[in-house]
């Protein structure tokens, strides 16, 4: 057989069996003994014993049951199976006790298990279904075929007694694939195949926003076996590119689709504009670390009215530092001025017991670098947070996730950073000097998820070390603690809280505020007790991935009942963002979410008051991702000072409507289309379902007022995100 055929065979073995056609066959002919002549098609088996497939050799009184026996199955194989068969068809037999060799019409198709006379001796494979590749030329279509099965059994019961026989037809997908891959200046369609194919490639370009099909083109293409064909397309913004491939021998169609990213939000004006939160909470005496978030042309000069004693402003960077001894609300007026103009914003510095008054906004290393994180990579994202302008929208935390730790603690038990983080204190100081905050990761167990030392029995020491580095945020990940929890008989809520409570006490003893973020994957119902142990947020799910399934599950299934638990100082955390270049390794890729899924993701996190921790490498941020993350009106909903998390109001025909009340009396409403195709939605009709009847609504992504008595097309997995006053 050709090499290609063997490779194809591997492909086929992995094929699903849904295309299986059961060959109606309840009985076979059986003969004890062993004779190679019994494999021949023409062998006269008239005298053989008729047996059914549920009879073992024990049932048939075969004596002794250790030894050989043959089955001959006479089956008609319908030619309806022929359509679409290119080089092979697969024969599936039920499990055989113990080993077998099989022939079809005298052609050997394969063997499972081994026989006593084989070089390595006998080896049973009694539990396995048999899958054998058959060359279609060997099949006698619509006529009698003989499948001859030589069986060796050792020990009771033995034989071929658990089997239906099936012929499985390969599908186009088993040997050919069609994908659209981004390349410089556009996309290329790649049709790769293991067998020769001649078919039709159809390309359609549709306008994403209007749904209008703009161009459609078909072309005949042929590809030889084990070759691929590439066709390049220029990138057209705001278009959906769909390619399909049909080979007339098959029913199914190969399809690939991409939407080129499209930016809905107008660019920020060149004049200063405040985009940050309206409040910031700090405890008396704790360092104030706050960067004024103004977009607009740089350089800019900043001033602040109403600063309390102990706090000073860096007028060039717009960074507040110092501390306030006296609790109280301090109303401040921020002003930023550049060549183009000046703008002011009212703000309240709340010195009191609560921190985390709005959901944390920043960056975390996990979804991009995972275990390959390094100080250099962190600094690159932190620098981009400032230089690319994300800090101008309130992003301020730079959080190291797992893998910053040294493998071992120091002799005195101190936690140390590994060689990839040469100077944690300097990193913290640099972040603070830019008004950014420093986050770190650990586990209440003896090890973290990545296998590094956890804080178990070192809680006080670790909190002190982190304080000395200037840490402002701790993600405390259950991971290694599972061992202790599972070994104990106490699985109560108190037992879930215990390790978190312990660390909370040591964090609070430090002379700085440390945002306390619990990570327990949602199973311990942390939302019911997180606020009582003074945690500032808690994960509500397992780890997010950059797929629609993951986003759908976490966003649309797990958050529905959690709205009563989130609020200022304590937030439900639906996990980190999956836009931009992610990859959980040192090799990053663009998020696999479509542009519309990304709009949905950010809209939903905005409605959910979710932690806005960017998961991509910011040093490679593109214009589309920036547009998603830096829409001041969308972020203002996330940071709304009421902190009312959205409620899911409507679930109807794949459309979900979520809404939340805002402090200015407005309501943010997300109308999500979870269907795989576009859906036209009358905005007034949708809003009426949740008791709202305005004439206009503010489209938050486009930042423009739109009429409600109109129909809007919501793209597949996309959203219409509005604010209604
Ligand atoms: C867990 C967490 C992730 C990440 C990894 C680090 O899986 O849920 O967010 O922190 O551990 O190992």
């Amino acid at each position: 057989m050709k090499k290609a055929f063997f490779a194809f065979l591997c492909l086929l073995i992995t094929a699903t069996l849904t295309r299986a056609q059961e060959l109606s066959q309840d009985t076979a002919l059986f003969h004890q003994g062993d004779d190679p002549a019994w494999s021949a098609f023409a062998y006269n088996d008239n005298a053989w014993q008729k047996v059914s497939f549920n009879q073992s050799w024990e049932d048939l009184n075969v004596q002794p049951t250790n030894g050989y026996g043959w089955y001959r199955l006479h089956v008609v194989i319908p030619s309806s199976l022929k359509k679409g068969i290119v080089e092979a068809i697969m024969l599936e037999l039920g499990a055989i006790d113990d080993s077998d060799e099989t022939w079809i019409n005298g052609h050997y198709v394969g063997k499972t298990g081994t026989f006593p006379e084989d070089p390595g001796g006998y080896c049973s494979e009694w539990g396995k279904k048999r899958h054998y590749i058959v060359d279609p030329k060997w099949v006698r279509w619509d006529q009698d075929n003989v499948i001859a099965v030589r069986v060796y059994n050792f020990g009771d019961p033995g034989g071929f007694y658990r089997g239906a026989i099936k012929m499985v037809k390969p599908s186009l997908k088993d040997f050919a694939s069609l994908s659209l891959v981004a390349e410089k200046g556009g996309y290329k369609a790649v049709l790769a195949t293991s067998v020769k194919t001649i078919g039709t490639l159809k390309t359609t370009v549709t306008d994403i926003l209007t749904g209008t099909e703009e161009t459609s083109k078909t072309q005949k293409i042929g590809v030889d076996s084990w070759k691929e064909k590439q066709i390049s397309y220029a990138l057209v913004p705001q278009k959906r590119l769909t390619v399909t491939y049909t080979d007339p021998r098959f029913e199914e169609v190969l399809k690939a689709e991409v939407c080129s990213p499209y930016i809905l939000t107008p660019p920020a004006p060149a004049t200063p504009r405040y985009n940050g939160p309206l409040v910031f909470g700090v405890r008396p005496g704790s360092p104030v670390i706050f960067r004024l978030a103004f977009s607009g042309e740089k350089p800019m000069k900043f001033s602040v009215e109403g600063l309390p004693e102990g706090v000073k402003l860096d007028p060039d960077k717009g960074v507040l530092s110092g501390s306030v001894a006296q609790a109280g609300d301090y109303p401040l007026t921020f002003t930023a001025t550049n060549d183009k103009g000046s703008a002011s914003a009212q703000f309240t510095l709340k010195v009191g017991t609560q921190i985390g008054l709005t959901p944390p906004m920043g960056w975390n290393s996990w979804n991009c670098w995972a275990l390959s994180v390094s100080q250099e990579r962190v600094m690159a994202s932190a620098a981009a947070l400032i230089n690319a302008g994300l800090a101008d929208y309130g992003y301020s935390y730079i959080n190291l996730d797992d893998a910053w730790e040294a493998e071992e603690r120091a002799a005195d038990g101190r936690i140390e950073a590994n060689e990839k983080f040469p100077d944690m204190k300097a990193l913290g100081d640099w972040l603070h000097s830019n008004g950014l905050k420093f986050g770190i990761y650990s586990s209440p167990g003896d090890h973290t998820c990545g296998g590094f030392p956890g804080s178990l029995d070192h809680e006080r020491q670790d909190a002190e070390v982190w304080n000395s580095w200037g840490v402002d945020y701790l993600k405390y990940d259950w991971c290694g603690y599972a061992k202790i929890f599972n070994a104990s008989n106490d699985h109560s809520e108190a037992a879930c809280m215990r390790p978190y409570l312990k660390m909370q006490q040591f964090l609070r003893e430090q002379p700085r505020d440390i945002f306390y973020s619990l990570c327990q994957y949602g199973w311990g119902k942390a939302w019911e007790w997180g606020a009582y142990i003074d945690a500032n947020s808690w994960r509500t799910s397992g780890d997010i991935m950059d797929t629609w399934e993951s986003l759908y599950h976490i966003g649309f299934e797990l958050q529905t009942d959690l709205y009563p638990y989130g609020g200022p100082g304590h937030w439900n955390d639906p996990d980190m963002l999956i836009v931009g270049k992610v990859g959980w390794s040192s090799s990053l890729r663009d998020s696999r979410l479509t542009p519309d899924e990304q709009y949905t993701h950010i809209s939903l996190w905005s409605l959910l008051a979710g932690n806005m921790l960017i998961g991509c490498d910011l040093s490679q941020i593109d214009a589309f991702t920036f547009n998603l993350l830096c829409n001041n009106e969308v972020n203002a909903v996330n940071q709304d000072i009421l902190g009312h998390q959205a409620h899911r109001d409507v679930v109807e025909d794949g459309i979900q409507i979520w809404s939340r009340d805002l402090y200015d009396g407005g309501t943010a409403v997300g109308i999500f289309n979870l269907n795989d195709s576009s859906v036209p939605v009358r905005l007034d009709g949708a809003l009426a379902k949740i008791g709202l009847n305005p004439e206009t609504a503010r489209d938050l992504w486009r930042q423009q007022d739109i009429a409600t008595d109109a129909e809007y097309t919501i793209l597949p997995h996309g959203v219409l995100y509005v604010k209604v006053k």
Side-chain angles (χ1 to χ4, degrees):
M1 258 189 285
K2 294 183 301 201
K3 181 168 149 258
F5 190 70
F6 275 116
F8 182 43
L9 185 149
C10 300
L11 246 171
L12 272 176
I13 302 269
T14 58
T16 60
L17 302 181
T18 47
R19 300 170 306 276
Q21 165 137 358
E22 202 143 330
L23 302 175
S24 49
Q25 183 76 16
D26 308 323
T27 58
L29 299 174
F30 174 72
H31 201 293
Q32 197 177 357
D34 192 24
D35 184 342
W38 296 344
S39 67
F41 170 73
Y43 177 77
N44 183 345
D45 51 24
N46 283 348
W48 284 31
Q49 182 183 359
K50 198 168 183 184
V51 298
S52 77
F53 279 120
N54 52 16
Q55 289 179 295
S56 73
W57 287 4
E58 243 183 341
D59 302 330
L60 298 172
N61 289 324
V62 172
Q63 289 304 331
T65 51
N66 293 351
Y68 288 95
W70 280 66
Y71 293 81
R72 285 174 61 87
L73 287 65
H74 288 261
V75 286
V76 174
I77 302 178
S79 54
S80 57
L81 264 173
K82 220 168 165 176
K83 184 167 165 13
I85 293 168
V86 180
E87 285 194 3
I89 190 166
M90 184 158 58
L91 171 67
E92 178 185 310
L93 305 177
I96 294 178
D97 191 354
D98 293 302
S99 324
D100 74 287
E101 283 183 298
T102 298
W103 289 257
I104 184 161
N105 301 329
H107 298 277
Y108 184 73
V109 292
K111 169 176 180 170
T112 307
T114 54
F115 299 90
E117 69 275 14
D118 283 343
Y122 154 75
C123 175
S124 167
E125 282 285 10
W126 67 273
K128 236 191 196 171
K129 270 189 186 167
R130 275 54 178 163
H131 288 129
Y132 297 125
I133 299 297
V134 174
D135 187 324
K137 291 199 290 290
W138 301 337
V139 177
R140 295 158 46 85
W141 300 104
D142 299 321
Q143 299 170 51
D144 180 38
N145 290 267
V146 174
I147 298 167
V149 186
R150 177 192 185 215
V151 177
Y152 176 78
N153 175 61
F154 183 82
D156 294 337
F160 184 5
Y161 56 92
R162 287 179 297 165
I165 316 165
K166 291 173 186 166
M167 290 307 252
V168 179
K169 171 165 83 174
S171 121
L172 182 58
K173 293 196 175 83
D174 289 330
F175 64 84
S177 69
L178 180 65
S179 52
L180 277 165
V181 185
E183 64 175 4
K184 203 161 185 292
Y187 295 95
K188 62 180 178 197
V190 181
L191 175 65
T193 172
S194 56
V195 291
K196 187 180 166 98
T197 170
I198 298 173
T200 307
L201 186 80
K202 183 174 176 201
T203 310
T204 312
V205 176
T206 318
D207 186 280
I208 290 176
L209 301 180
T210 62
T212 326
E213 195 174 297
E214 294 187 340
T215 51
S216 178
K217 174 176 146 195
T218 53
Q219 63 194 112
K220 276 249 169 298
I221 61 172
V223 190
D224 272 341
S225 50
W226 300 101
K227 291 273 174 333
E228 62 177 39
K229 185 142 226 156
Q230 301 192 355
I231 294 152
S232 290
Y233 302 96
L235 173 73
V236 199
Q238 261 176 238
K239 303 291 177 225
R240 179 189 308 277
L241 173 65
T242 310
V243 286
T244 57
Y245 179 74
T246 42
D247 176 324
R249 295 169 297 177
F250 297 92
E251 280 151 21
E252 63 299 73
V253 174
L254 298 180
K255 181 173 175 185
E257 199 164 65
V258 286
C259 290
S260 53
Y262 59 101
I263 292 175
L264 292 175
T265 310
T271 48
R273 183 181 72 194
Y274 185 69
N275 307 302
L278 302 185
V279 294
F280 181 66
V282 63
R283 297 195 178 102
S286 292
V288 171
I289 303 159
F290 190 83
R291 189 181 169 101
L292 277 56
F294 279 91
S295 57
E297 253 177 43
K298 306 289 170 353
M300 223 174 243
K301 277 276 183 199
F302 301 91
S303 64
V304 179
E305 257 174 56
L307 271 185
E309 203 189 314
V311 180
K312 66 175 195 320
L313 167 77
D314 177 331
D316 298 312
K317 288 183 175 170
V319 169
L320 295 179
S321 61
S323 65
V324 189
Q326 205 56 44
D329 283 1
Y330 297 87
L332 311 181
T333 305
F334 296 158
T335 302
T337 309
N338 66 8
D339 280 352
K340 298 280 157 44
S342 155
S344 293
Q346 302 305 315
F347 177 88
T348 308
L349 182 66
K350 286 181 163 284
V351 183
T353 52
Q354 283 273 40
I355 63 164
L357 297 180
T358 60
M361 293 180 77
W363 177 86
N364 172 293
S365 57
W366 188 251
N367 290 356
C368 44
W369 303 119
L371 300 178
S372 75
V373 64
S374 65
Q375 183 159 321
E376 221 181 332
R377 287 178 165 167
V378 172
M379 292 286 280
S381 273
L385 193 90
I386 297 170
N387 299 331
L390 291 108
D392 301 346
Y393 287 81
Y395 292 97
S396 66
Y397 284 97
I398 292 290
N399 295 353
L400 309 189
D401 208 283
D402 208 354
W404 62 267
E405 314 89 333
E407 301 271 341
E408 304 280 344
R409 288 175 176 270
D412 64 356
R414 268 175 76 89
I415 187 85
E416 291 185 316
N418 59 42
E419 68 293 345
K420 294 186 293 169
F421 290 89
D423 195 338
M424 295 290 257
K425 165 97 172 67
L427 176 58
D429 287 347
W430 181 82
L431 292 171
H432 295 154
S433 70
N434 284 296
L436 303 182
K437 304 181 198 74
F438 184 18
I440 212 152
Y441 165 97
S442 187
S443 168
D446 62 354
H447 64 273
T448 66
C449 286
F452 294 90
S455 295
L456 183 70
D457 299 331
H458 292 275
E459 289 85 356
R460 180 195 294 272
Q461 215 177 7
D462 287 359
E464 286 172 359
V465 169
W466 296 331
N467 170 57
S468 75
W469 292 343
V471 162
D472 308 299
Y473 186 113
L474 171 67
K475 172 173 174 182
Y476 208 38
D477 186 357
W478 184 257
C479 244
Y481 194 81
K483 201 169 61 187
I484 298 166
F485 184 80
N486 295 340
S488 138
N489 290 330
D490 183 3
H491 290 172
S492 63
E493 194 173 84
C496 287
M497 294 161 75
R498 203 165 293 136
Y500 287 115
L501 200 50
K502 189 165 184 186
M503 181 54 93
Q504 187 271 344
Q505 177 196 337
F506 298 119
L507 294 180
R508 287 301 293 272
E509 282 175 7
Q510 306 312 311
R512 60 186 309 110
D513 297 340
I514 302 181
F515 185 101
Y516 193 24
S517 146
L518 314 188
C519 176
Q520 209 201 12
Y521 331 121
W523 63 264
K525 290 200 175 170
W527 45 88
E528 287 182 358
W529 45 266
Y532 295 106
I533 64 161
D534 213 6
N536 301 110
S537 72
W538 42 83
R539 277 269 296 275
T540 54
S541 73
D543 289 10
I544 199 164
M545 288 298 296
D546 59 329
T547 62
W548 172 245
E549 291 68 32
S550 175
L551 175 61
Y552 177 84
H553 177 59
I554 294 178
F556 292 98
E557 291 182 333
L558 298 184
Q559 310 303 321
T560 45
D561 299 327
L562 302 188
Y563 62 93
Y565 303 103
H570 44 89
W571 307 100
N572 290 304
D573 172 9
D575 208 357
M576 299 168 292
L577 305 179
I578 39 168
V579 299
K581 286 228 181 312
V582 293
W584 293 266
S585 69
S586 54
S587 88
L588 304 184
R589 56 159 187 269
D590 285 319
S591 169
R592 290 175 292 176
L593 297 180
T594 66
D596 293 303
E597 289 166 354
Q598 299 188 48
Y599 276 112
T600 285
H601 176 27
I602 303 300
S603 307
L604 189 57
W605 263 234
S606 149
L607 282 159
L608 292 172
N611 294 14
M612 293 289 281
L613 292 177
I614 304 167
C616 64
D617 177 13
L618 291 179
S619 72
Q620 302 185 55
I621 195 165
D622 56 280
F624 172 68
T625 309
F626 185 87
N627 161 75
L628 289 167
L629 296 171
C630 297
N631 176 316
N632 61 321
E633 298 189 26
V634 169
N635 293 354
V637 178
N638 173 271
Q639 296 288 300
D640 187 78
I641 56 176
L642 271 191
H644 286 181
Q645 179 176 327
H647 175 263
R648 185 170 73 177
D649 308 301
V650 175
V651 181
E652 217 174 86
D653 301 329
I655 298 287
Q656 292 195 7
I657 305 182
W658 294 63
S659 72
R660 68 178 278 190
D661 300 334
L662 304 171
Y663 90 101
D664 63 1
T667 308
V669 184
I671 307 169
F672 296 94
N673 174 13
L674 308 182
N675 297 290
D676 293 335
S677 50
S678 298
V679 173
V681 170
R682 265 295 287 218
L683 183 52
D684 48 9
L687 293 174
K689 286 186 193 210
I690 58 170
L692 298 171
N693 298 295
E695 279 174 13
T696 61
R698 178 81 172 163
D699 180 326
L700 292 177
W701 282 111
R702 292 173 180 80
Q703 301 195 335
Q704 71 191 36
D705 294 338
I706 56 173
T708 54
D709 62 348
E711 204 170 71
Y712 296 93
T713 299
I714 311 185
L715 297 164
H717 302 177
V719 62
L720 177 60
Y721 191 21
V722 296
K723 179 173 167 180
V724 170
K725 272 255 184 160

